[in-house]
Amino acid sequence: MLTLSTVNVNGLRAAAKKGFVEWLAGTGADVICMQETRAEADQLTAEVREPEGWHTALAPSSAKGRAGVAIYSRAEPESVRVGFGSAEFDDSGRYLEIDLPGVTIASLYLPSGEVGTPRQDEKERFMKEFGEHLAGLRERAASADREVVICGDWNIAHREADLKNWKANQKSAGFLPEERAWLTDVFESGYTDVVRTLHPEGPGPYSWWSYRGKAFDNDSGWRIDYQVATPGLAGRATEAVVERAPSYDQRWSDHAPVTVTYDF
Amino acid sequence: MLTLSTVNVNGLRAAAKKGFVEWLAGTGADVICMQETRAEADQLTAEVREPEGWHTALAPSSAKGRAGVAIYSRAEPESVRVGFGSAEFDDSGRYLEIDLPGVTIASLYLPSGEVGTPRQDEKERFMKEFGEHLAGLRERAASADREVVICGDWNIAHREADLKNWKANQKSAGFLPEERAWLTDVFESGYTDVVRTLHPEGPGPYSWWSYRGKAFDNDSGWRIDYQVATPGLAGRATEAVVERAPSYDQRWSDHAPVTVTYDF
DNA sequence: CTTCTGAGG
DNA sequence: CCTCTGAAG
């Protein structure tokens, strides 16, 4: 049994003050993949940096206060790798891998993009380079008889069922045809969208609701946080839940943890 | 009877959310001089921008979010003047005058300064230019048979009794020998420190306590907010109080209102 | 420690 | 609307 959670914490320091610590203490997960930690190690309190019972790997961005990913695991990783061999992105706090026995687990924070700005070009460059990494990772894992799962905020809703208001968002970053097509390619190249497989019916389950307006109260969300696994692991997923906060005031991030249990 | 309050609000928008509005509704003052409003008119809610029963004059800084002074008066001013004829400082949100019948009332926010930086030079330039304005103001007022009072955050503690920890602060901006000497010159050139006249015994009353550490709880404060008046007005002051908040959590600024009643 | 800003989301 | 930053206080 292996339970994996992935969550964009939207600032680990802020999240820690609003309920993340209690959530971590109560979770049954074995591994937590985090995105947007937005902190360096020495900016975190000990209870967040080195919680009792966890091994923690951090990959902060070289730009202070931006991005940052982390993986917390109850077991000590066999190895830890920051980045995916990209000159542009390896110090940007967007990718971290650990190996546990028989499985490679990654925390991914894909750029959010913004149509009509250089940040959309950056997202496209990231997708291209990262797509190549995904192919290599799959090949290497197959020859080593390992499974792979990439957990994270992919910042793309794949299909119409993956966001509340798809019609209005066809020109929005995160639901552009080229972004959706890229994700389709990923899902047709030996990687499975685990939550969608266990929950074939939409709409949702959403994992992100904007802080603006009444998006959370209206459940006007997007499903942009995924666990993307090789078939041998994906086929063993038994349960997937999005841990939506019970109310607006009890949220500690604009994203909710996406938690999957694997019979592995 | 004329009651004047002066207070550095440390951000009028923040203060409004923390109790300024209630304080304004309950005050018996006829005129409120404010400093560090840190907002332009259209960034303020109507209840702050145009409270019922008040005439409001604002002099924001041209640098967004910085400085800014204001004068709220129950009576409509005969005239309103921004700045004191300084090319460098007139758009910096540091000085505003209004005329009421027989009296000119100013709101002053003197630069705080920082030893060893250009900001201390700026403070010195301001003191020099403003000293000249004070002389001219006094002359013009005398010939027009008007009184003058400059209310505000002068960012200088005059004497040892004017701050808790004078020994440790002899090299700190706000208690430098040259700053204190300049203020002595002001007080010996036809202007009176009204609160000190009514309260000749120190220490205090302090009007500012740093937000850092436990300065407020320990009453480790500075008296840097003054009402500085021509003798004809100063001699009619009957009561002066510093409206220190009852507890740390009930403060809406790091400064307290300094309120003086004049038999005028 | 707090209030602003502006970038980023 | 929220979380960072950095300047200013």
Side-chain angles (χ1 to χ4, degrees), chain B residues 4-6 149-152 154 187 192-195 223 225-229 258-262:
Chain B
L4 264 51
S5 265
T6 184
V149 55
I150 298 101
C151 294
W154 291 62
F187 295 159
T192 298
D193 174 356
V194 174
V195 171
R223 191 172 76 91
D225 300 279
Y226 297 84
Q227 299 203 11
V228 175
V258 174
T259 303
V260 176
T261 298
Y262 300 88

Side-chain angles (χ1 to χ4, degrees), chain B residues 1-21:
Chain B
M1 281 266 299
L2 176 69
T3 298
L4 264 51
S5 265
T6 184
V7 59
N8 178 318
V9 296
N10 190 28
L12 187 48
R13 285 171 286 180
K17 288 181 186 157
K18 297 199 293 183
F20 169 80
V21 171

